[in-house]
């Protein structure tokens, strides 16, 4: 991959100059901030989904195909549920429970 995905193209500026330790430090810091970025993105998505539903009356069923998920997942997004386990918290996916063999 030569450049980051489109929403993150500005990150390419971190590698635009000649290789240096400062560049490695900046990239390391960016990688370390990914969990915080994911949290922020989830919170923003939840806010938008809830606003569309509550303010504009858009149903989860109408949002689902555009988000590429089922209506039940859109409902979960609106409630702040995540499909992935967060560091230090139990998984929201019952298939990943210790009680269920893999």
């Amino acid at each position: 991959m030569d450049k980051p995905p489109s929403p993150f193209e500005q990150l390419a500026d971190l590698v635009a100059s000649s290789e240096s330790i400062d560049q490695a430090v900046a990239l390391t810091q960016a990688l370390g901030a990914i969990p915080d970025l994911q949290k922020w993105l989830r919170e923003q998505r939840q806010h938008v989904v809830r606003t569309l539903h509550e303010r504009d009356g858009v149903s989860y069923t109408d949002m689902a195909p555009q988000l590429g998920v089922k209506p039940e997942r859109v409902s979960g997004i609106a409630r702040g549920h995540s499909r992935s386990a967060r560091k230090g918290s139990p998984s929201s996916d019952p298939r990943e429970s210790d009680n269920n063999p893999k």
Side-chain angles (χ1 to χ4, degrees):
M1 181 182 309
D2 293 334
K3 63 180 185 173
S6 61
F8 308 106
E9 287 176 345
Q10 289 180 333
L11 290 175
D13 292 345
L14 293 175
V15 296
S17 60
S18 182
E19 292 79 4
S20 69
I21 191 66
D22 291 338
Q23 192 178 53
V25 168
L27 290 166
T28 299
Q29 291 171 340
L31 283 167
I34 288 174
D36 291 335
L37 174 62
Q38 289 175 315
K39 179 182 179 190
W40 181 82
L41 289 169
R42 281 191 302 269
E43 290 170 353
Q44 297 307 307
R45 179 180 62 178
Q46 177 188 8
H47 170 75
V48 169
V49 166
R50 289 183 70 169
T51 300
L52 291 171
H53 183 68
E54 295 170 3
R55 183 195 67 197
D56 300 343
V58 179
S59 73
Y60 298 145
T61 301
D62 289 340
M63 284 187 239
Q66 295 177 68
L67 298 177
V69 298
K70 294 181 179 181
E72 295 82 5
R73 178 70 190 115
V74 180
S75 175
I77 290 168
R79 291 189 315 271
H81 294 184
S82 175
R83 291 187 305 181
S84 62
R86 293 187 195 113
K87 192 175 184 178
S89 70
S91 171
S92 62
D93 185 347
R95 292 174 293 176
E96 295 178 12
S97 167
D98 290 336
N99 297 332
N100 295 331
K102 293 179 172 91

mmCIF file of all heavy atoms in Angstrom, residues 1-17 22-35 37-38 40-41:
data_model
loop_
_atom_site.group_PDB
_atom_site.id
_atom_site.type_symbol
_atom_site.label_atom_id
_atom_site.label_comp_id
_atom_site.label_asym_id
_atom_site.label_seq_id
_atom_site.Cartn_x
_atom_site.Cartn_y
_atom_site.Cartn_z
ATOM 1 N N MET A 1 0.856 -1.170 0.000
ATOM 2 C CA MET A 1 0.000 0.000 0.000
ATOM 3 C C MET A 1 0.905 1.237 0.000
ATOM 4 O O MET A 1 1.738 1.404 0.880
ATOM 5 C CB MET A 1 -0.904 -0.030 1.245
ATOM 6 C CG MET A 1 -1.844 1.117 1.321
ATOM 7 S SD MET A 1 -2.926 1.196 2.776
ATOM 8 C CE MET A 1 -3.662 -0.414 2.841
ATOM 9 N N ASP A 2 0.744 2.078 -0.999
ATOM 10 C CA ASP A 2 1.595 3.260 -1.144
ATOM 11 C C ASP A 2 1.086 4.465 -0.364
ATOM 12 O O ASP A 2 1.864 5.339 0.004
ATOM 13 C CB ASP A 2 1.724 3.649 -2.610
ATOM 14 C CG ASP A 2 2.496 2.610 -3.400
ATOM 15 O OD1 ASP A 2 3.318 1.897 -2.794
ATOM 16 O OD2 ASP A 2 2.264 2.500 -4.613
ATOM 17 N N LYS A 3 -0.225 4.542 -0.174
ATOM 18 C CA LYS A 3 -0.785 5.675 0.557
ATOM 19 C C LYS A 3 -1.924 5.189 1.443
ATOM 20 O O LYS A 3 -2.499 4.127 1.203
ATOM 21 C CB LYS A 3 -1.255 6.768 -0.402
ATOM 22 C CG LYS A 3 -2.373 6.348 -1.338
ATOM 23 C CD LYS A 3 -2.758 7.491 -2.246
ATOM 24 C CE LYS A 3 -3.968 7.079 -3.095
ATOM 25 N NZ LYS A 3 -4.492 8.188 -3.863
ATOM 26 N N PRO A 4 -2.256 5.963 2.470
ATOM 27 C CA PRO A 4 -3.328 5.534 3.370
ATOM 28 C C PRO A 4 -4.696 5.611 2.692
ATOM 29 O O PRO A 4 -4.846 6.289 1.671
ATOM 30 C CB PRO A 4 -3.236 6.531 4.529
ATOM 31 C CG PRO A 4 -2.415 7.658 4.048
ATOM 32 C CD PRO A 4 -1.621 7.192 2.880
ATOM 33 N N PRO A 5 -5.692 4.917 3.262
ATOM 34 C CA PRO A 5 -7.049 4.994 2.712
ATOM 35 C C PRO A 5 -7.525 6.444 2.654
ATOM 36 O O PRO A 5 -7.089 7.295 3.440
ATOM 37 C CB PRO A 5 -7.889 4.179 3.696
ATOM 38 C CG PRO A 5 -6.915 3.331 4.434
ATOM 39 C CD PRO A 5 -5.613 4.075 4.433
ATOM 40 N N SER A 6 -8.458 6.725 1.762
ATOM 41 C CA SER A 6 -8.879 8.101 1.474
ATOM 42 C C SER A 6 -9.235 8.954 2.689
ATOM 43 O O SER A 6 -8.859 10.121 2.715
ATOM 44 C CB SER A 6 -10.010 8.113 0.450
ATOM 45 O OG SER A 6 -11.128 7.424 0.944
ATOM 46 N N PRO A 7 -9.914 8.448 3.714
ATOM 47 C CA PRO A 7 -10.217 9.363 4.819
ATOM 48 C C PRO A 7 -8.975 9.836 5.581
ATOM 49 O O PRO A 7 -9.033 10.789 6.335
ATOM 50 C CB PRO A 7 -11.110 8.547 5.756
ATOM 51 C CG PRO A 7 -11.571 7.379 4.982
ATOM 52 C CD PRO A 7 -10.541 7.154 3.912
ATOM 53 N N PHE A 8 -7.839 9.182 5.347
ATOM 54 C CA PHE A 8 -6.634 9.474 6.119
ATOM 55 C C PHE A 8 -5.457 9.912 5.245
ATOM 56 O O PHE A 8 -4.308 9.801 5.651
ATOM 57 C CB PHE A 8 -6.243 8.251 6.954
ATOM 58 C CG PHE A 8 -7.381 7.736 7.785
ATOM 59 C CD1 PHE A 8 -8.038 6.573 7.425
ATOM 60 C CD2 PHE A 8 -7.815 8.424 8.906
ATOM 61 C CE1 PHE A 8 -9.099 6.097 8.176
ATOM 62 C CE2 PHE A 8 -8.876 7.959 9.659
ATOM 63 C CZ PHE A 8 -9.522 6.801 9.301
ATOM 64 N N GLU A 9 -5.750 10.419 4.061
ATOM 65 C CA GLU A 9 -4.689 10.775 3.120
ATOM 66 C C GLU A 9 -3.707 11.796 3.686
ATOM 67 O O GLU A 9 -2.532 11.791 3.329
ATOM 68 C CB GLU A 9 -5.273 11.265 1.805
ATOM 69 C CG GLU A 9 -5.858 10.131 0.986
ATOM 70 C CD GLU A 9 -6.541 10.603 -0.286
ATOM 71 O OE1 GLU A 9 -6.821 11.808 -0.418
ATOM 72 O OE2 GLU A 9 -6.796 9.741 -1.139
ATOM 73 N N GLN A 10 -4.151 12.662 4.597
ATOM 74 C CA GLN A 10 -3.246 13.662 5.166
ATOM 75 C C GLN A 10 -2.122 13.015 5.977
ATOM 76 O O GLN A 10 -1.071 13.613 6.174
ATOM 77 C CB GLN A 10 -4.007 14.659 6.023
ATOM 78 C CG GLN A 10 -4.875 15.576 5.182
ATOM 79 C CD GLN A 10 -5.629 16.570 6.031
ATOM 80 O OE1 GLN A 10 -5.912 16.318 7.188
ATOM 81 N NE2 GLN A 10 -5.952 17.706 5.444
ATOM 82 N N LEU A 11 -2.344 11.790 6.436
ATOM 83 C CA LEU A 11 -1.280 11.095 7.164
ATOM 84 C C LEU A 11 -0.071 10.821 6.277
ATOM 85 O O LEU A 11 1.031 10.606 6.780
ATOM 86 C CB LEU A 11 -1.798 9.784 7.755
ATOM 87 C CG LEU A 11 -2.780 9.910 8.907
ATOM 88 C CD1 LEU A 11 -3.313 8.540 9.305
ATOM 89 C CD2 LEU A 11 -2.137 10.604 10.092
ATOM 90 N N ALA A 12 -0.269 10.839 4.976
ATOM 91 C CA ALA A 12 0.847 10.619 4.062
ATOM 92 C C ALA A 12 1.918 11.685 4.241
ATOM 93 O O ALA A 12 3.091 11.456 3.932
ATOM 94 C CB ALA A 12 0.361 10.584 2.616
ATOM 95 N N ASP A 13 1.536 12.843 4.797
ATOM 96 C CA ASP A 13 2.524 13.895 5.059
ATOM 97 C C ASP A 13 3.590 13.419 6.040
ATOM 98 O O ASP A 13 4.710 13.930 6.042
ATOM 99 C CB ASP A 13 1.845 15.153 5.625
ATOM 100 C CG ASP A 13 0.959 15.840 4.591
ATOM 101 O OD1 ASP A 13 1.085 15.526 3.391
ATOM 102 O OD2 ASP A 13 0.138 16.682 4.998
ATOM 103 N N LEU A 14 3.252 12.427 6.877
ATOM 104 C CA LEU A 14 4.230 11.905 7.838
ATOM 105 C C LEU A 14 5.398 11.207 7.144
ATOM 106 O O LEU A 14 6.461 11.043 7.740
ATOM 107 C CB LEU A 14 3.564 10.927 8.809
ATOM 108 C CG LEU A 14 2.534 11.508 9.779
ATOM 109 C CD1 LEU A 14 1.873 10.388 10.586
ATOM 110 C CD2 LEU A 14 3.186 12.523 10.709
ATOM 111 N N VAL A 15 5.209 10.791 5.902
ATOM 112 C CA VAL A 15 6.275 10.093 5.180
ATOM 113 C C VAL A 15 6.692 10.832 3.911
ATOM 114 O O VAL A 15 7.391 10.283 3.075
ATOM 115 C CB VAL A 15 5.858 8.636 4.836
ATOM 116 C CG1 VAL A 15 5.662 7.831 6.095
ATOM 117 C CG2 VAL A 15 4.618 8.605 3.967
ATOM 118 N N ALA A 16 6.291 12.101 3.798
ATOM 119 C CA ALA A 16 6.577 12.859 2.575
ATOM 120 C C ALA A 16 8.045 13.262 2.461
ATOM 121 O O ALA A 16 8.549 13.449 1.363
ATOM 122 C CB ALA A 16 5.684 14.097 2.516
ATOM 123 N N SER A 17 8.738 13.372 3.580
ATOM 124 C CA SER A 17 10.136 13.803 3.532
ATOM 125 C C SER A 17 11.064 12.595 3.588
ATOM 126 O O SER A 17 10.633 11.456 3.701
ATOM 127 C CB SER A 17 10.414 14.749 4.705
ATOM 128 O OG SER A 17 10.178 14.078 5.925
ATOM 129 N N ASP A 22 12.703 11.367 13.414
ATOM 130 C CA ASP A 22 11.501 12.145 13.713
ATOM 131 C C ASP A 22 10.284 11.552 13.003
ATOM 132 O O ASP A 22 9.183 11.509 13.560
ATOM 133 C CB ASP A 22 11.677 13.609 13.313
ATOM 134 C CG ASP A 22 12.673 14.346 14.194
ATOM 135 O OD1 ASP A 22 12.909 13.893 15.346
ATOM 136 O OD2 ASP A 22 13.220 15.372 13.735
ATOM 137 N N GLN A 23 10.500 11.107 11.799
ATOM 138 C CA GLN A 23 9.429 10.471 11.030
ATOM 139 C C GLN A 23 8.998 9.169 11.707
ATOM 140 O O GLN A 23 7.801 8.902 11.849
ATOM 141 C CB GLN A 23 9.943 10.208 9.612
ATOM 142 C CG GLN A 23 8.900 9.830 8.612
ATOM 143 C CD GLN A 23 9.549 9.649 7.248
ATOM 144 O OE1 GLN A 23 10.516 8.891 7.121
ATOM 145 N NE2 GLN A 23 9.022 10.337 6.250
ATOM 146 N N ALA A 24 9.963 8.375 12.143
ATOM 147 C CA ALA A 24 9.640 7.127 12.836
ATOM 148 C C ALA A 24 8.889 7.398 14.131
ATOM 149 O O ALA A 24 7.936 6.690 14.464
ATOM 150 C CB ALA A 24 10.916 6.328 13.113
ATOM 151 N N VAL A 25 9.291 8.436 14.859
ATOM 152 C CA VAL A 25 8.604 8.808 16.099
ATOM 153 C C VAL A 25 7.172 9.228 15.798
ATOM 154 O O VAL A 25 6.227 8.800 16.480
ATOM 155 C CB VAL A 25 9.375 9.932 16.842
ATOM 156 C CG1 VAL A 25 8.543 10.526 17.964
ATOM 157 C CG2 VAL A 25 10.700 9.405 17.371
ATOM 158 N N ALA A 26 6.974 10.062 14.791
ATOM 159 C CA ALA A 26 5.630 10.525 14.435
ATOM 160 C C ALA A 26 4.734 9.361 14.029
ATOM 161 O O ALA A 26 3.562 9.298 14.415
ATOM 162 C CB ALA A 26 5.706 11.561 13.308
ATOM 163 N N LEU A 27 5.278 8.417 13.267
ATOM 164 C CA LEU A 27 4.499 7.253 12.855
ATOM 165 C C LEU A 27 4.164 6.372 14.055
ATOM 166 O O LEU A 27 3.045 5.844 14.167
ATOM 167 C CB LEU A 27 5.253 6.459 11.790
ATOM 168 C CG LEU A 27 5.356 7.154 10.429
ATOM 169 C CD1 LEU A 27 6.398 6.475 9.567
ATOM 170 C CD2 LEU A 27 4.001 7.201 9.743
ATOM 171 N N THR A 28 5.111 6.227 14.970
ATOM 172 C CA THR A 28 4.874 5.448 16.185
ATOM 173 C C THR A 28 3.764 6.090 17.021
ATOM 174 O O THR A 28 2.873 5.400 17.524
ATOM 175 C CB THR A 28 6.165 5.326 17.014
ATOM 176 O OG1 THR A 28 7.142 4.647 16.222
ATOM 177 C CG2 THR A 28 5.937 4.566 18.313
ATOM 178 N N GLN A 29 3.799 7.401 17.148
ATOM 179 C CA GLN A 29 2.765 8.105 17.892
ATOM 180 C C GLN A 29 1.398 7.951 17.219
ATOM 181 O O GLN A 29 0.389 7.766 17.894
ATOM 182 C CB GLN A 29 3.126 9.583 18.049
ATOM 183 C CG GLN A 29 4.295 9.806 18.974
ATOM 184 C CD GLN A 29 4.798 11.238 18.969
ATOM 185 O OE1 GLN A 29 4.551 12.010 18.044
ATOM 186 N NE2 GLN A 29 5.539 11.590 20.016
ATOM 187 N N ALA A 30 1.379 8.032 15.900
ATOM 188 C CA ALA A 30 0.117 7.866 15.168
ATOM 189 C C ALA A 30 -0.446 6.463 15.385
ATOM 190 O O ALA A 30 -1.641 6.291 15.627
ATOM 191 C CB ALA A 30 0.325 8.141 13.678
ATOM 192 N N LEU A 31 0.416 5.460 15.318
ATOM 193 C CA LEU A 31 -0.036 4.084 15.554
ATOM 194 C C LEU A 31 -0.564 3.917 16.974
ATOM 195 O O LEU A 31 -1.574 3.257 17.205
ATOM 196 C CB LEU A 31 1.110 3.100 15.312
ATOM 197 C CG LEU A 31 1.423 2.818 13.858
ATOM 198 C CD1 LEU A 31 2.768 2.096 13.737
ATOM 199 C CD2 LEU A 31 0.321 2.003 13.224
ATOM 200 N N GLY A 32 0.098 4.536 17.943
ATOM 201 C CA GLY A 32 -0.334 4.441 19.330
ATOM 202 C C GLY A 32 -1.670 5.111 19.583
ATOM 203 O O GLY A 32 -2.382 4.754 20.523
ATOM 204 N N ALA A 33 -2.023 6.071 18.748
ATOM 205 C CA ALA A 33 -3.279 6.808 18.925
ATOM 206 C C ALA A 33 -4.464 6.146 18.228
ATOM 207 O O ALA A 33 -5.596 6.621 18.354
ATOM 208 C CB ALA A 33 -3.112 8.237 18.415
ATOM 209 N N ILE A 34 -4.241 5.053 17.522
ATOM 210 C CA ILE A 34 -5.332 4.413 16.776
ATOM 211 C C ILE A 34 -6.495 4.002 17.676
ATOM 212 O O ILE A 34 -7.650 4.247 17.318
ATOM 213 C CB ILE A 34 -4.803 3.254 15.910
ATOM 214 C CG1 ILE A 34 -4.026 3.843 14.734
ATOM 215 C CG2 ILE A 34 -5.931 2.351 15.427
ATOM 216 C CD1 ILE A 34 -3.332 2.835 13.867
ATOM 217 N N PRO A 35 -6.269 3.411 18.855
ATOM 218 C CA PRO A 35 -7.427 3.084 19.705
ATOM 219 C C PRO A 35 -8.258 4.312 20.071
ATOM 220 O O PRO A 35 -9.496 4.250 20.076
ATOM 221 C CB PRO A 35 -6.801 2.445 20.946
ATOM 222 C CG PRO A 35 -5.502 1.877 20.454
ATOM 223 C CD PRO A 35 -5.029 2.871 19.420
ATOM 224 N N LEU A 37 -8.503 7.028 18.244
ATOM 225 C CA LEU A 37 -9.178 7.407 17.006
ATOM 226 C C LEU A 37 -10.409 6.536 16.788
ATOM 227 O O LEU A 37 -11.487 7.033 16.449
ATOM 228 C CB LEU A 37 -8.228 7.285 15.813
ATOM 229 C CG LEU A 37 -8.845 7.517 14.427
ATOM 230 C CD1 LEU A 37 -9.394 8.931 14.292
ATOM 231 C CD2 LEU A 37 -7.820 7.221 13.338
ATOM 232 N N GLN A 38 -10.267 5.227 17.005
ATOM 233 C CA GLN A 38 -11.404 4.321 16.834
ATOM 234 C C GLN A 38 -12.529 4.676 17.799
ATOM 235 O O GLN A 38 -13.701 4.679 17.427
ATOM 236 C CB GLN A 38 -10.969 2.873 17.050
ATOM 237 C CG GLN A 38 -10.109 2.350 15.929
ATOM 238 C CD GLN A 38 -9.583 0.957 16.221
ATOM 239 O OE1 GLN A 38 -9.115 0.673 17.317
ATOM 240 N NE2 GLN A 38 -9.649 0.093 15.230
ATOM 241 N N TRP A 40 -13.168 7.615 19.138
ATOM 242 C CA TRP A 40 -13.759 8.866 18.688
ATOM 243 C C TRP A 40 -14.674 8.634 17.480
ATOM 244 O O TRP A 40 -15.786 9.159 17.434
ATOM 245 C CB TRP A 40 -12.656 9.873 18.345
ATOM 246 C CG TRP A 40 -13.198 11.195 17.898
ATOM 247 C CD1 TRP A 40 -13.643 12.224 18.682
ATOM 248 C CD2 TRP A 40 -13.351 11.631 16.543
ATOM 249 N NE1 TRP A 40 -14.066 13.261 17.895
ATOM 250 C CE2 TRP A 40 -13.896 12.922 16.578
ATOM 251 C CE3 TRP A 40 -13.087 11.052 15.310
ATOM 252 C CZ2 TRP A 40 -14.179 13.659 15.424
ATOM 253 C CZ3 TRP A 40 -13.366 11.773 14.164
ATOM 254 C CH2 TRP A 40 -13.909 13.066 14.234
ATOM 255 N N LEU A 41 -14.210 7.835 16.527
ATOM 256 C CA LEU A 41 -15.024 7.541 15.342
ATOM 257 C C LEU A 41 -16.320 6.829 15.730
ATOM 258 O O LEU A 41 -17.393 7.148 15.204
ATOM 259 C CB LEU A 41 -14.237 6.693 14.343
ATOM 260 C CG LEU A 41 -13.096 7.414 13.612
ATOM 261 C CD1 LEU A 41 -12.228 6.402 12.875
ATOM 262 C CD2 LEU A 41 -13.640 8.461 12.666
#
